[in-house]
Amino acid sequence: GFFQSCAVEVELKDASNATCLYAKWMMRFLIKYETNSSDYKNTTLDLSSHVTHNGSVCGNDTQAAFLAVQFGEGHSWNMSFIKANETYLGDWIMFTYNTNDTAEFPDAKRKGPITVAVKVTMDPVQVNDVFVCHSTEFLEAENITQIFWNVTVQPFVQNGTISKKESRCRADTPTSAPTVLPTAANVTTASTTTLSPAPTTTPKPVENPDTGNYFLKNGNETCLLATVGLQLNISQDKPRLININPKTTSAGGSCSNTTATLKLNDGNSTLIAF
């Protein structure tokens, strides 16, 4: 629902035709590149419906597993996984985009493939668990923002069978239940989850969101200011409105000479990024 893109699904098999690595996920790339006129443009790179996974490797106790996909006009994305004792974790991501793709980079000053390497920060996962993360995650490096969501992955699959036991990412497991303000769409289910009597009157409409003051610093200097009230209108599944609470929302992101990224975070996951 957050982005429209093609899902990627890779099931790698070993020499005995047993599944050794499985992954299914969604991703998108935001790229800033220099043009022939020496200014900068932004482009969005989505996965096409045709994706190959040449170069993927099963891995073992001494060799890293390698998930490699290729798409579009010379673009590729690779991720390595290492196994330590009875756990595994992501190691490196290598993303290559090809500015010879004139449809995506029509006036790029630098021509040819450009590779960006990013060290992954991921908590260890038990070998017998499948890692799942439905939340949207952002990974930034060298004018590239990689966006991932609806991720399911298990390298080093045991006995050729993908695990049914899930290990969820932190963003999917908030420390407390999110506050859902009453709306006409969800009030009818309230009586099944509370001990108080069901309301007999129409709930009050959602009030306007409180105004928050958010800022970023570059060294000692403030490089971005935002004074804004925000409300999320979620139409997927059951429609609902959620106000962003400035008192529990923190600002993060980065500034450069030509771009700035503001991320608003509720402590568990990124709510929205500009």
Side-chain angles (χ1 to χ4, degrees):
F2 188 43
F3 296 113
Q4 296 298 321
S5 184
C6 294
V8 188
E9 185 172 22
V10 175
E11 185 172 357
L12 191 64
K13 296 183 182 293
D14 61 18
S16 63
N17 203 36
T19 299
C20 60
L21 186 153
Y22 176 80
K24 185 176 183 180
W25 74 103
M26 309 275 280
M27 65 181 175
R28 161 177 284 195
F29 306 93
L30 307 181
I31 304 170
K32 184 177 75 173
Y33 68 96
E34 188 176 6
T35 68
N36 290 318
S37 57
S38 296
D39 61 352
Y40 285 84
K41 285 187 178 180
N42 295 302
T43 189
T44 301
L45 195 60
D46 289 303
L47 271 69
S48 63
S49 58
H50 179 66
V51 177
T52 58
H53 55 88
N54 300 322
S56 296
V57 177
C58 289
N60 51 43
D61 291 342
T62 59
Q63 181 184 13
F66 200 61
L67 178 60
V69 296
Q70 304 83 38
F71 60 98
E73 299 296 324
H75 314 299
S76 64
W77 182 91
N78 309 319
M79 184 173 181
S80 59
F81 299 87
I82 56 175
K83 184 178 179 183
N85 298 323
E86 295 303 316
T87 64
Y88 66 85
L89 70 161
D91 191 21
W92 283 91
I93 285 177
M94 303 282 287
F95 169 55
T96 299
Y97 60 98
N98 184 12
T99 55
N100 286 326
D101 183 354
T102 56
E104 300 293 345
F105 307 93
D107 51 355
K109 183 176 182 179
R110 179 181 175 183
K111 295 295 185 180
I114 301 172
T115 299
V116 176
V118 184
K119 181 69 174 177
V120 178
T121 56
M122 175 180 171
D123 293 333
V125 179
Q126 292 297 314
V127 169
N128 291 322
D129 292 0
V130 58
F131 176 76
V132 176
C133 191
H134 294 305
S135 300
T136 305
E137 298 287 345
F138 298 82
L139 188 61
E140 296 181 7
E142 301 182 31
N143 296 329
I144 308 295
T145 301
Q146 302 182 46
I147 308 171
F148 307 92
W149 68 104
N150 289 348
V151 175
T152 300
V153 62
Q154 186 181 7
F156 312 106
V157 174
Q158 305 294 293
N159 302 318
T161 303
I162 301 166
S163 176
K164 296 183 181 299
K165 183 180 178 183
E166 295 183 352
S167 177
R168 287 298 187 101
C169 63
R170 294 182 182 181
D172 279 4
T173 55
T175 55
S176 60
T179 301
V180 180
L181 299 177
T183 68
N186 65 21
V187 69
T188 55
T189 63
S191 61
T192 64
T193 57
T194 64
L195 298 179
S196 58
T200 57
T201 59
T202 303
K204 293 175 61 177
V206 176
E207 301 292 337
N208 289 332
D210 293 335
T211 299
N213 295 301
Y214 310 102
F215 65 93
L216 300 179
K217 284 187 174 292
N218 193 351
N220 293 324
E221 295 184 354
T222 299
C223 59
L224 185 149
L225 287 170
T227 300
V228 61
L230 290 169
Q231 183 180 86
L232 300 182
N233 184 341
I234 301 174
S235 58
Q236 190 176 13
D237 299 327
K238 294 182 179 180
R240 55 181 176 148
L241 298 177
I242 300 176
N243 286 342
I244 302 300
N245 184 357
K247 294 180 181 180
T248 60
T249 301
S250 61
S254 61
C255 299
S256 71
N257 292 333
T258 57
T259 62
T261 300
L262 174 66
K263 295 180 181 180
L264 300 183
N265 192 298
D266 67 352
N268 296 310
S269 61
T270 300
L271 294 171
I272 191 167
F274 300 94

